[in-house]
Amino acid sequence: GTDVVRGADGIKRVYGFTTVPASGWIVYAGIPTSAAFAEPAASARRAALLGALSLLLAAALAFLFRRGIQRPIDAVAAAARAVGGGDFAARAPVAGPAEIALVAESFNAMVDVRVRASEELRSTMERLRAILEASPLGIAAFDLGGRPLLWSPAAERELGWTAADLDTERNPFVAEEYRPRFAEAHRRVVEEGRLVSFETVLRRKDGTAVDAWVSVGPLRGADGGVAGLVTVVQDLTERKRLEAQA
């Protein structure tokens, strides 16, 4: 058997003992516990140290991995905030893990499309403005509630009314007796979605009447439906005068 016993010299020892069969004697042999348990204790200490080092290494790797992901994500977020604030020159750096780099590339491509669309829209608006400025015909656009969306310089020259006047008074250039005709034209345009033209008499801001040829067409929204009306006005005063002289 075995046992741990403190000897007369005060040292704890691990004893092994057995009985000698021939004589019946009991033989003891012991070694100090410091020697008996030295290697297991050292192994336990090494195991504990190795475990601690492993945990530290895992924590360090996790920190570095997080930084490797977090930085590219923060960069994409910063670029998105810059673009949202109107800085369309901002781009996200294509860096980090493949998934984050793909997100950055997609974000940059989206901003490029947005910039091109804005430039095309700006160019279209500039061409439209040039056409309106040069057109000898009065051109106006109204939403379905009759609120003015556009009032060209020629319309202002022909009738004297300004865009600000139209904000305070609904269709002041249409005399009361001609309003039913305009209302019918507007109804047909909205319901049928096609151009309606007719001759009428309009009212200038100074109160004088002007013979005019009016064409009203649909202004379509993004969904293709009629969202408003476009009106083109041609002054017939000179033609009427020449016809009267003929």
Side-chain angles (χ1 to χ4, degrees):
T2 61
D3 198 1
V4 177
V5 179
R6 187 181 301 277
D9 56 2
I11 298 175
K12 292 179 69 175
R13 290 178 175 82
V14 178
Y15 287 93
F17 55 90
T18 185
T19 302
V20 178
S23 61
W25 293 353
I26 298 175
V27 179
Y28 291 86
I31 60 174
T33 55
S34 59
F37 298 142
E39 183 58 30
S43 297
R45 286 194 297 272
R46 287 195 296 268
L49 179 59
L50 182 59
L53 290 175
S54 297
L55 289 175
L56 289 174
L57 179 60
L61 289 175
F63 175 74
L64 292 174
F65 182 70
R66 182 178 179 277
R67 288 188 63 187
I69 292 179
Q70 192 65 43
R71 283 185 176 180
I73 290 177
D74 289 343
V76 173
R81 286 193 297 271
V83 171
D87 181 9
F88 292 103
R91 295 294 183 275
V94 180
E99 294 81 359
I100 306 302
L102 181 60
V103 170
E105 288 180 350
S106 300
F107 173 81
N108 293 340
M110 178 188 68
V111 176
D112 290 340
V113 170
R114 173 68 174 81
V115 169
R116 286 195 297 271
S118 296
E119 292 173 349
E120 291 173 2
L121 177 61
R122 188 181 304 110
S123 177
T124 299
M125 293 301 295
E126 289 174 354
R127 288 195 295 269
L128 177 60
R129 187 177 297 108
I131 292 171
L132 291 175
E133 293 285 345
S135 174
L137 303 178
I139 302 175
F142 304 88
D143 65 17
L144 293 179
R147 289 177 290 273
L149 303 174
L150 182 149
W151 187 251
S152 74
E156 185 172 336
R157 288 194 302 270
E158 290 177 7
L159 300 175
W161 302 98
T162 66
D165 295 328
L166 272 65
D167 282 333
T168 57
E169 185 178 353
R170 194 63 50 86
N171 296 338
F173 52 87
V174 180
E176 192 65 35
E177 60 269 30
Y178 292 100
R179 288 184 181 270
R181 177 177 291 184
F182 272 84
E184 173 62 16
H186 291 176
R187 183 192 65 77
R188 289 177 58 192
V189 171
V190 172
E191 292 182 358
E192 302 172 13
R194 64 183 183 86
L195 184 71
V196 176
S197 299
F198 55 95
E199 186 174 334
T200 187
V201 177
L202 300 179
R203 182 168 65 94
R204 292 191 177 98
K205 190 173 183 178
D206 61 7
T208 60
V210 54
D211 293 308
W213 182 259
V214 175
S215 295
V216 183
L219 177 65
R220 300 193 179 277
D223 61 355
V226 178
L229 303 169
V230 177
T231 302
V232 179
V233 177
Q234 181 182 2
D235 188 346
L236 299 180
T237 302
E238 184 62 19
R239 194 184 82 178
K240 293 282 188 178
R241 186 184 65 79
L242 293 176
E243 289 176 351
Q245 292 177 352

